[in-house]
Amino acid sequence: MTSLPPARVGDAAAEIDTPALVIDLDAFERNLDRMAKFAHDTGIRVRPHAKTHKSPAVARAQMHRGAVGQCCQKVGEAEVLVQAGIENVLVSNQVVGASKVARLAALARRAWIGVCADDAEQVRAYGEAARRAQVDLHVLVEIDVGAARCGVAPGAPAVELAKVIADTPGLSFEGLQAYHGSAQHIRGHRERRAAIQTAGQGVQATAEKLGAAGLDCRTIGGAGTGSFRFETETGLWNELQPGSYCFMDADYGRNLDEGGEERSEFENALFVASTVMSASAPGRAVVDAGHKASAVDSGLPRVWRLTDTDYVSASDEHGKLSLGKSAHRLGLGDRVWLVPGHVDPTVNLHDWYVGVRGGLDDGVVECLWPVAARGALT
């Protein structure tokens, strides 16, 4: 059951009930504009990843700025997007299980639907479902470009699978999915670029073999927030699929730029609003945002704009802050803004986005957006 929103349109940011998931709309829109400008200037298309935001409202804002569609990882996420009128969706993942594949094919009656494969058995199931639903599914061969997760080996194995797709009624061979997920958080700029350059060797060899086999590779997709400039540099990828850029998080903030500094071209735009609920000992404060408000798989949240103040541990409903000698003393009821360690799973903990215009200090609630695909795990 969806909870009531933690604020009302027109409320001051300071009045938002906590813990709450808050978007700084000004920073969010600047992030979208920066990516849209990059796409325009380089002539490359962008298909943002909805596994980050799980929101048709965010998807529409991205597509209004020129995004060609949306990615997602689950059929359930795709269903939410299509139901909301998003007409171009790639499930950038393998879909296994008769019921899921049938649901995927049903969506293709209402939208352009793509999906990935790394096994001929998946292709067989996609084809049967597409024929049963009398639709066309667009299938990309996922190749393993270094993440050692999903994907068939580049080169001849990928070409053989592409041939199976092209020969299967109900399916169209769309191209390659070449996402190097583990490269996104390689901290060093040079090392991150090198990982993508190595990935590009496999992409290029596969694309050349596909061409020799007479297979048109319309899409070479992949790239994320941590690497999209490097994929673009290669001239091989023609579709970028970043997700976190719209919000950013503390973990991406630890990536180094070319000068060796922790600096991102995108701004923190998503926060967990929290309230001090205990300040019973010097040097310590406890806020009401713990594991259930902010994911900690990629590290603890970062305290926003409070010097010498660190979020040091979390339990279910509590977040403990350590206050150093130069820290501002926090008292009961004080507002503390937290930058999540990892955006995607943090979003999945909340029912609502609270959109604030005019900054976190003096801003006003402008909108309330449901996290519509929260819990869409199938």
Side-chain angles (χ1 to χ4, degrees):
M1 179 178 178
T2 302
S3 63
L4 293 174
R8 296 170 299 179
V9 172
D11 284 351
E15 296 172 342
I16 298 169
D17 201 4
T18 63
L21 195 63
V22 177
I23 300 175
D24 179 337
L25 292 171
D26 300 304
F28 164 72
E29 291 170 0
R30 287 193 293 268
N31 286 344
L32 299 193
D33 290 341
R34 287 187 185 101
M35 183 61 76
K37 184 178 187 304
F38 177 81
H40 178 270
D41 291 348
T42 58
I44 196 165
R45 63 183 189 257
V46 174
R47 178 187 295 275
H49 220 308
K51 74 181 178 69
T52 294
H53 58 72
K54 309 180 194 304
S55 165
V58 175
R60 284 191 286 268
Q62 292 169 323
M63 294 178 72
H64 178 71
R65 290 166 170 81
V68 298
Q70 294 283 298
C71 290
C72 58
Q73 290 296 85
K74 299 289 187 172
V75 176
E77 292 173 337
E79 288 170 330
V80 170
L81 293 172
V82 173
Q83 178 64 33
I86 306 301
E87 296 181 343
N88 193 306
V89 179
L90 167 64
V91 179
S92 53
N93 202 358
Q94 292 71 33
V95 176
V96 175
S99 64
K100 291 188 189 65
V101 176
R103 288 161 52 202
L104 182 76
L107 288 177
R109 298 191 184 108
R110 305 165 60 189
W112 184 100
I113 297 295
V115 66
C116 294
D118 64 2
D119 191 285
E121 182 62 20
Q122 296 157 358
V123 175
R124 181 196 63 76
Y126 296 161
E128 288 181 358
R131 293 191 296 275
R132 198 173 296 120
Q134 298 183 316
V135 298
D136 188 39
L137 286 174
H138 300 263
V139 184
L140 292 83
V141 172
E142 181 166 8
I143 57 175
D144 181 2
V145 292
R149 187 171 62 183
C150 296
V152 68
V159 175
E160 290 305 309
L161 186 57
K163 290 178 180 177
V164 175
I165 295 167
D167 292 340
T168 300
L171 305 182
S172 295
F173 171 64
E174 176 67 23
L176 299 176
Q177 178 71 6
Y179 174 61
H180 195 337
S182 59
Q184 301 309 308
H185 299 280
I186 296 174
R187 298 306 178 201
H189 187 273
R190 181 183 302 173
E191 292 79 8
R192 210 160 55 249
R193 172 181 274 154
I196 300 305
Q197 289 173 337
T198 299
Q201 295 171 8
V203 170
Q204 183 169 8
T206 306
E208 289 174 353
K209 289 182 181 296
L210 286 168
L215 293 168
D216 182 19
C217 190
R218 291 185 291 272
T219 296
I220 298 179
T225 298
S227 70
F228 70 93
R229 286 186 176 273
F230 304 140
E231 279 91 351
T232 303
E233 285 175 359
T234 69
L236 296 167
W237 280 261
N238 61 12
E239 183 171 286
L240 307 178
Q241 300 167 353
S244 298
Y245 80 95
C246 64
F247 293 149
M248 294 304 289
D249 56 33
D251 194 51
Y252 265 117
R254 298 183 187 102
N255 282 0
L256 304 181
D257 66 9
E258 199 162 8
E261 301 292 328
E262 290 186 356
R263 185 180 297 113
S264 172
E265 61 192 294
F266 301 106
E267 303 173 53
N268 291 120
L270 188 77
F271 301 86
V272 175
S274 68
T275 300
V276 175
M277 58 186 292
S278 175
S280 58
R284 185 180 74 207
V286 178
V287 296
D288 58 358
H291 289 143
K292 294 182 182 178
S294 185
V296 298
D297 59 299
S298 294
L300 295 169
R302 179 167 57 86
V303 178
W304 179 249
R305 292 188 312 187
L306 289 180
T307 59
D308 206 13
T309 304
D310 297 305
Y311 190 112
V312 293
S313 67
S315 50
D316 283 358
E317 310 291 358
H318 302 81
K320 186 162 70 174
L321 308 183
S322 173
L323 283 62
K325 292 182 179 179
S326 63
H328 171 73
R329 185 181 182 280
L330 293 172
L332 294 181
D334 283 350
R335 177 60 45 91
V336 176
W337 300 95
L338 304 173
V339 178
H342 189 183
V343 168
D344 302 15
T346 296
V347 168
N348 200 51
L349 295 170
H350 294 263
D351 288 327
W352 294 94
Y353 289 114
V354 180
V356 170
R357 180 77 66 186
L360 301 182
D361 295 325
D362 303 315
V364 174
V365 175
E366 180 177 291
C367 59
L368 299 167
W369 294 337
V371 184
R374 180 188 181 187
L377 302 179
T378 64

